[in-house]
């Protein structure tokens, strides 16, 4: 139970915790105050009740007159003054006047039996009775003056109810005041929260954090946040500059490597044609490795340009023709081991870079060739949908492993059939597809192959050129 209460308290906002603690302390203090005041008040009420009983009895004894007639047979009581009903009515008292032997010689109408007279104050049933001896002139007797105990109990109960409502009202006021004060006290923190949330939304660490004028914990927190933001901005700027330098270095290095690689390839091709035997085999192996190196350098250069947001010159072109050319190149390299088909019902014009879009189509179809067995059908379709050029490449192979689906478009991610050397890939093909698609304002995704189908299905979406633009360019 204690753990559950602690969890509930932990989930409460700080202002409610502060207000609740304030209200709880106020409740405890008021309860103690009410208990003391209630007990003292009850004692005073009982004391006043007893004093009123004594005073009323003494006053009646002072003014009481008993009329009597004397005869040979004895004394006959003829009346009692004052009128006891009228005298006891204000306090709803029960009064009896008794002779020495206990005979009732006067009293209020319908009064209950108060028992034998015993001088002093005693409780008889529901009444408190004050008994006093008095003289009648011809003898002596007793006055019994009684009042109901329920009167004093009702008064005490009213006082306790009043104190209870006072405690509850005071605690409620303390809770409301605590919430108001807590809200005002938490206002600087709320401003800090709103500012940091806006910084997170806009990703602009240059915004200033409001620092309260008071030299307290909140202002210290604000200054700490301000210093943290400045440090993060400085670190981000340094990281961005370093990343920019790295991208520039990769782009420059890839560009500079192209010329010597071209020369190496030309010399190796010449050697492979002139040499025989083992020397020719060595030259062919070096030639294959150099070609792979040239492909890797080209891929790195393309990615570096994409990272640096360098936009190559673009022109209107038919995406369908680009895909057909890429399929022809792939069939030549594949030697007819796969059934590659291209569906392009109509020209689909886009504004792009031919070499990069050619690389997109070729990479997607090469990816299908590498990860499907011989004889598998590979289908590429180009169509226009609602102003968007859509390129779909799908196959009937085993599909993409579940563990690779989330990382498929990351760099240097290879499937189980890929290796860093030999005929395997570098794991850059799909990352290049994504970089080119995004650079052209489009996207690429691994789509669901459909109900009952297998294999992989890649969908590239690019902005298609408006029909009006095509007419004007024509």
């Amino acid at each position: 139970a204690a753990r559950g209460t602690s969890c509930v308290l932990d989930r409460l906002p700080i202002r409610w915790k502060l207000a609740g603690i304030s209200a709880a302390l106020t409740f405890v203090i008021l309860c103690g105050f009410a208990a003391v005041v209630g007990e003292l008040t009850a004692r005073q009420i009982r004391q006043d009740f007893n004093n009123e009983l004594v005073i009323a009895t003494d006053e009646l004894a002072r003014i009481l007159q008993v009329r009597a007639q004397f005869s040979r047979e004895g004394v006959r009581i003829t009346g009692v003054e004052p009128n006891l009903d009228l005298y006891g009515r204000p306090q709803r008292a029960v009064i009896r006047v008794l002779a020495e032997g206990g005979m009732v010689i006067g009293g209020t109408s319908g009064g209950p039996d108060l028992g034998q007279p015993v001088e002093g104050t005693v409780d008889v049933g529901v009444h408190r009775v004050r008994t006093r001896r008095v003289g009648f002139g011809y003898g002596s007797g007793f006055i019994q003056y009684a009042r109901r105990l329920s009167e004093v109990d009702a008064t005490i109960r009213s006082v306790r109810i009043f104190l209870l409502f006072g405690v509850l009202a005071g605690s409620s006021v303390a809770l409301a005041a605590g919430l108001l004060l807590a809200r005002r006290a938490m206002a600087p923190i709320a401003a800090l929260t709103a500012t940091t949330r806006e910084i997170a939304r806009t990703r602009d660490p240059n915004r200033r954090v409001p620092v309260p004028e008071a030299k307290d914990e909140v202002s210290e927190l604000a200054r700490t946040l301000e210093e943290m933001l400045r440090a993060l901005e400085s670190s981000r700027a340094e990281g961005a500059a370093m990343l920019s330098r790295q991208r520039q270095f990769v782009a420059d290095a890839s560009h500079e490597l192209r010329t010597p690689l071209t020369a190496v390839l030309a010399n190796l091709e010449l050697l492979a044609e002139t040499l025989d035997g083992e020397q020719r085999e060595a030259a062919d192996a070096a030639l294959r490795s150099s070609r792979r190196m040239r492909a890797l350098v080209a891929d790195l250069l393309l990615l570096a340009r994409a990272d640096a947001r360098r936009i190559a010159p673009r022109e209107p072109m038919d995406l369908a023709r680009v895909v057909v050319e890429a399929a022809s190149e792939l069939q030549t390299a594949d030697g007819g081991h796969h059934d590659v088909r291209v569906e392009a019902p109509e020209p689909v014009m886009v504004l792009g870079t031919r070499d990069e879009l050619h690389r997109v189509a070729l990479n997607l179809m090469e990816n299908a060739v590498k990860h499907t067995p011989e004889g598998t059908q590979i289908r590429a379709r180009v169509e226009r949908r609602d102003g968007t050029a859509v390129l779909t490449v799908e196959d009937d192979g085993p599909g993409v492993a579940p563990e690779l689906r989330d990382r498929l478009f990351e760099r240097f991610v290879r499937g189980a059939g890929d290796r860093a050397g030999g005929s395997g890939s570098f794991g850059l093909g799909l990352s290049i597809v994504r970089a080119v698609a995004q650079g052209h304002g489009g996207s690429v995704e691994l789509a669901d192959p459909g109900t009952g189908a297998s294999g992989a299905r890649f969908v590239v979406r690019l902005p298609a050129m408006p029909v009006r633009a095509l007419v004007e360019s024509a």
Side-chain angles (χ1 to χ4, degrees):
R3 183 178 300 176
T5 303
S6 177
C7 292
V8 172
L9 291 177
D10 291 340
R11 290 195 294 267
L12 287 176
I14 294 179
R15 61 178 180 273
W16 278 99
K17 290 181 182 179
L18 295 175
I21 292 173
S22 175
L25 291 176
T26 303
F27 178 78
V28 171
I29 293 172
L30 289 179
C31 282
F33 177 78
V36 173
V37 171
E39 182 62 26
L40 293 177
T41 304
R43 290 183 183 181
Q44 186 62 42
I45 291 173
R46 292 188 181 96
Q47 183 64 38
D48 292 343
F49 182 79
N50 293 334
N51 291 338
E52 291 174 0
L53 202 63
V54 171
I55 292 172
T57 305
D58 293 344
E59 179 64 20
L60 179 58
R62 186 181 64 82
I63 64 174
L64 181 65
Q65 295 181 3
V66 178
R67 297 190 303 273
Q69 291 182 354
F70 299 91
S71 62
R72 293 179 180 179
E73 289 82 7
V75 179
R76 184 172 67 89
I77 304 300
T78 59
V80 176
E81 293 181 357
N83 187 314
L84 297 180
D85 287 328
L86 295 177
Y87 186 85
R89 183 175 299 169
Q91 294 184 337
R92 294 187 295 276
V94 177
I95 304 173
R96 289 205 313 174
V97 180
L98 299 88
E100 190 67 39
M103 181 184 68
V104 178
I105 60 177
T108 54
S109 302
D113 184 8
L114 300 178
Q116 293 297 320
V118 178
E119 289 191 66
T121 303
V122 295
D123 292 339
V124 178
V126 297
H127 291 82
R128 177 160 293 176
V129 182
R130 173 70 178 179
T131 303
R132 174 175 173 171
R133 182 182 291 275
V134 293
F136 299 145
Y138 66 88
S140 62
F142 299 93
I143 296 176
Q144 288 182 324
Y145 191 94
R147 291 179 62 183
R148 283 184 172 271
L149 292 171
S150 59
E151 297 178 10
V152 67
D153 293 337
T155 304
I156 293 174
R157 186 164 52 251
S158 299
V159 171
R160 288 175 176 170
I161 292 174
F162 176 78
L163 290 175
L164 175 61
F165 277 107
V167 170
L168 296 178
S171 300
S172 301
V173 171
L175 178 62
L179 284 174
L180 180 61
L181 293 176
R183 174 175 292 184
R184 294 190 62 181
M186 296 295 292
I189 297 181
L192 289 177
T193 303
T195 303
T196 52
R197 184 179 291 115
E198 184 66 17
I199 291 174
R201 186 185 66 83
T202 60
R203 298 181 179 273
D204 180 15
N206 292 318
R207 295 193 58 169
R208 296 285 300 175
V209 175
V211 179
E213 296 181 359
K215 304 298 182 180
D216 54 9
E217 292 80 359
V218 178
S219 62
E220 182 66 22
L221 173 62
R223 284 190 290 270
T224 303
L225 286 175
E226 184 75 16
E227 294 173 1
M228 182 190 69
L229 289 174
R230 299 287 81 77
L232 287 176
E233 171 60 15
S234 176
S235 176
R236 188 179 71 87
E238 293 176 1
M242 182 180 297
L243 184 60
S244 177
R245 289 194 297 270
Q246 289 177 349
R247 289 172 176 170
Q248 185 66 35
F249 170 76
V250 172
D252 293 342
S254 300
H255 180 73
E256 293 298 329
L257 283 173
R258 298 179 68 179
T259 300
L261 277 175
T262 301
V264 169
L265 283 171
N267 292 329
L268 287 174
E269 289 174 354
L270 179 61
L271 286 174
E273 292 177 356
T274 57
L275 296 176
D276 297 321
E278 295 182 355
Q279 293 180 343
R280 181 183 180 87
E281 293 179 358
D284 289 338
L287 182 60
R288 288 193 298 271
S289 298
S290 298
R291 286 172 177 170
R292 285 180 52 78
M293 184 181 298
R294 181 178 63 179
L296 175 60
V297 169
D299 291 344
L300 291 175
L301 179 59
L302 192 152
L303 290 174
R305 287 175 175 173
D307 290 340
R309 303 187 186 280
R310 295 182 181 178
I311 300 177
R314 295 178 181 178
E315 59 183 358
M317 66 187 64
D318 183 7
L319 181 61
R321 181 178 295 275
V322 173
V323 175
V324 169
E325 294 173 355
S328 299
E329 179 180 339
L330 178 66
Q331 286 178 324
T332 301
D334 183 51
H337 296 292
H338 291 77
D339 182 11
V340 181
R341 299 183 180 182
V342 178
E343 300 178 14
E346 59 181 353
V348 179
M349 302 300 294
V350 297
L351 185 65
T353 305
R354 178 174 293 275
D355 290 342
E356 294 181 357
L357 294 180
H358 180 87
R359 182 74 64 84
V360 167
L362 185 61
N363 284 2
L364 288 176
M365 289 186 285
E366 280 185 344
N367 183 72
V369 167
K370 292 176 183 177
H371 296 91
T372 57
E374 292 185 5
T376 302
Q377 186 180 87
I378 299 172
R379 299 176 296 278
R381 179 178 177 83
V382 182
E383 57 186 334
R384 182 188 182 99
R385 299 180 191 168
D386 300 328
T388 301
V390 180
L391 166 62
T392 304
V393 178
E394 56 186 343
D395 58 65
D396 298 329
V400 179
E403 63 272 13
L404 291 178
R405 296 184 71 91
D406 295 336
R407 302 184 299 114
L408 196 60
F409 294 98
E410 296 179 6
R411 299 176 186 181
F412 301 106
V413 174
R414 296 187 293 269
D418 283 340
R419 296 294 183 266
S423 60
S425 68
F426 296 103
L428 295 176
L430 293 180
S431 61
I432 289 175
V433 172
R434 182 175 64 175
V436 173
Q438 292 178 349
H440 283 72
S443 63
V444 60
E445 65 173 342
L446 176 63
D448 187 357
T451 305
S454 61
R457 183 169 182 262
F458 292 89
V459 179
V460 178
R461 293 180 174 84
L462 300 173
M465 292 187 64
V467 178
R468 180 180 301 177
L470 294 176
V471 173
E472 292 176 354
S473 62

